[in-house]
Amino acid sequence: MMGDELERPAPAQDVWARRDAFVAARDIYVTAMLGGTAQGVGDGRSAYRRDRSLFVQYTNPEILACYGTQAGGEHAGLILAQALDATRLALLLTERHLLIPASYIFEIPWYRIFLGCLEPLMHAGAIRYISPVPDLTDYREMKVHEYRRDPLNPYHHAELPRTCVDPDFMWAPRHGRATAAGIGDLWRDALQPGGDLHGIVRETAHRWRRPYGRAERLLERTPERLDGQAFIARFVERTLPTRPTPAERTALAFFLSRAYLRSYLLDMDAAVLVDLPTGDLTCGLTGMDGRLLSARRLDTVLHWLRTREFVHRTAHWDELLRLRSLPEFGLIVEHAYDERSNHTLRTSAMRARRSSGFRPAGTYAEARSNVLAVADAMTDRRPKEENP
């Protein structure tokens, strides 16, 4: 662990428990207000779904490294602060859970602090960890083998943070194939002409001074040659017959992180927060059926609602859970990620902001009032005293 060089952010107050009834309430509201069809949901206009969990990739050390940031060391304090801030946005984009791969708990030195700050969300059932087995001690033993040739094996003698043995920190079993198997399939395709890694095959053959076909066959066997090790860039590089160039190392790291993300998002039917201050954090992943959600876009909407400072600076976790549970808030965010109805949201916010009671929110009550005002403007349900 990192010791005391990081100052732990002030803990949030206990979370006010919410049940899943708000999901049904939102659906009823949206259907009633929009004539039986929720715009941007199920009508081919937007693939964003609030019933998808959010995958916390913004703390992944391999993905962060692709963007020139180290999860530990000199960048640790900054990345921790940004991760907590990103979690506030991620929480607002789903009506389900935030999903955290169990590997982060062991591989990231400051994760004990991060999870401690999110402990109220654990008690509310808003966070779950992903692993192939429910027992994190068993999981650690599995990973010791995967990192057995790593001199800095993060799983050796690692202790579980106290928060990880909390019964409220629930397990999310991963469906589908293991990460390495899924990446292996994509790896072989990427080596083919026109694939993302075809250039590495060609240049490896040139430096190795061997026929192209021999280099291709060797690289195709990389998943087997890893012999159960984690399918990450630094382990893959050791299996190559020649040292890759800096550009090839970058291409390799981006490909593996992109394949990792794709595998998790499809297996868990999850979405991910992208376009963050640290970087895009997609590693070039595109499409994905509405699973790539821009943090910048949500921030823009919060600015329109005059709730941005409240969300990022003063709101407690329980208040963010209450805010996201508002049917009106769900309606607004669905419009935000629907290109065809985003203009409606913008003009509705402009109309609401002309109201004398619409001011920058400093409390949950004020944030709720602003959300309701914009939702009213969107559905033309203005108070009677404003009607001619």
Side-chain angles (χ1 to χ4, degrees):
M1 299 305 295
M2 298 180 60
D4 297 328
E5 66 262 35
L6 291 182
E7 180 180 354
R8 177 177 179 140
Q13 68 182 39
D14 290 340
V15 170
W16 171 65
R18 297 289 300 182
R19 300 299 181 187
D20 292 333
F22 65 77
V23 178
R26 178 188 61 82
D27 292 342
I28 293 171
Y29 176 88
V30 172
T31 301
M33 291 301 104
L34 299 176
T37 300
Q39 290 187 22
V41 180
D43 62 356
R45 294 176 57 178
S46 172
Y48 166 59
R49 286 174 22 207
R50 289 182 62 74
D51 64 341
R52 279 190 176 126
S53 294
L54 257 289
F55 181 67
V56 181
Q57 106 291 4
Y58 47 82
T59 61
N60 179 280
E62 305 297 327
I63 293 175
L64 289 170
C66 286
Y67 291 84
T69 303
Q70 299 302 317
E74 61 178 340
H75 297 144
L78 175 63
I79 296 303
L80 170 59
Q82 291 181 341
L84 288 169
D85 196 46
T87 300
R88 291 173 170 267
L89 297 180
L91 197 64
L92 295 177
L93 286 174
T94 178
E95 291 170 344
R96 299 198 69 194
H97 318 103
L98 302 184
L99 299 175
I100 298 176
S103 59
Y104 300 179
I105 298 170
F106 298 95
E107 295 181 21
I108 301 174
W110 44 262
Y111 233 68
R112 182 186 302 269
I113 299 174
F114 181 66
L115 291 177
C117 293
L118 303 187
E119 192 169 359
L121 295 180
M122 292 182 190
H123 298 320
I127 298 180
R128 296 189 177 183
Y129 66 91
I130 311 170
S131 68
V133 293
D135 190 301
L136 288 173
T137 301
D138 293 340
Y139 172 78
R140 179 181 58 197
E141 294 306 313
M142 294 169 56
K143 299 296 282 188
V144 165
H145 177 73
E146 288 186 23
Y147 284 75
R148 63 191 180 278
R149 296 175 188 169
D150 187 350
L152 301 176
N153 190 330
Y155 295 90
H156 263 317
H157 312 299
E159 294 184 4
L160 283 174
R162 175 189 56 79
T163 49
C164 291
V165 297
D166 192 316
D168 288 334
F169 193 25
M170 299 181 67
W171 175 50
R174 184 176 177 187
H175 308 292
R177 307 172 66 189
T179 305
I183 295 177
D185 291 342
L186 295 172
W187 172 268
R188 295 180 181 90
D189 291 340
L191 297 175
Q192 303 305 309
D196 293 339
L197 301 180
H198 177 64
I200 293 180
V201 181
R202 186 177 59 249
E203 294 304 315
T204 296
H206 175 73
R207 290 192 298 269
W208 196 27
R209 299 182 180 180
R210 299 291 192 277
Y212 171 88
R214 184 173 177 183
E216 182 183 38
R217 288 191 297 273
L218 180 69
L219 266 66
E220 284 180 343
R221 292 179 49 234
T222 295
E224 292 79 21
R225 297 179 67 227
L226 282 171
D227 191 25
Q229 294 182 93
F231 213 140
I232 58 177
R234 67 179 183 272
F235 293 167
V236 170
E237 287 178 22
R238 296 172 190 170
T239 70
L240 302 178
T242 64
R243 184 180 180 86
T245 66
E248 289 170 348
R249 295 183 68 188
T250 298
L252 183 62
F254 267 75
F255 168 79
L256 292 174
S257 290
R258 185 163 60 247
Y260 163 90
L261 262 182
R262 180 182 183 276
S263 173
Y264 266 99
L265 296 188
L266 293 179
D267 285 354
M268 303 301 295
D269 190 24
V272 69
L273 190 66
V274 303
D275 194 18
L276 288 151
T278 314
D280 187 59
L281 302 189
T282 65
C283 295
L285 190 65
T286 58
M288 296 305 293
D289 189 30
R291 290 177 169 87
L292 308 179
L293 305 176
S294 168
R296 188 187 302 270
R297 176 169 295 201
L298 180 57
D299 258 340
T300 297
V301 171
L302 294 175
H303 175 70
W304 293 348
L305 298 173
R306 292 187 175 175
T307 60
R308 188 181 185 280
E309 289 301 309
F310 171 72
V311 166
H312 284 283
R313 300 287 177 260
T314 61
H316 295 296
W317 294 119
D318 71 305
E319 293 173 322
L320 293 178
L321 288 174
R322 293 163 67 187
L323 188 65
R324 79 169 187 177
S325 74
L326 292 173
E328 295 86 353
F329 186 81
L331 176 64
I332 288 171
V333 176
E334 284 167 354
H335 274 64
Y337 288 96
D338 184 333
E339 295 298 337
R340 298 186 189 183
S341 61
N342 187 263
H343 177 71
T344 300
L345 172 58
R346 185 193 301 266
T347 55
S348 298
M350 291 170 58
R351 185 190 311 167
R353 287 163 70 100
R354 289 195 291 267
S355 168
S356 60
F358 200 93
R359 59 176 60 89
T363 65
Y364 169 75
E366 292 170 344
R368 179 180 180 275
S369 176
N370 289 359
V371 167
L372 297 185
V374 173
D376 284 346
M378 288 170 61
T379 55
D380 282 328
R381 295 191 303 115
R382 286 167 291 183
K384 291 182 179 179
E385 60 269 21
E386 293 184 13
N387 292 334

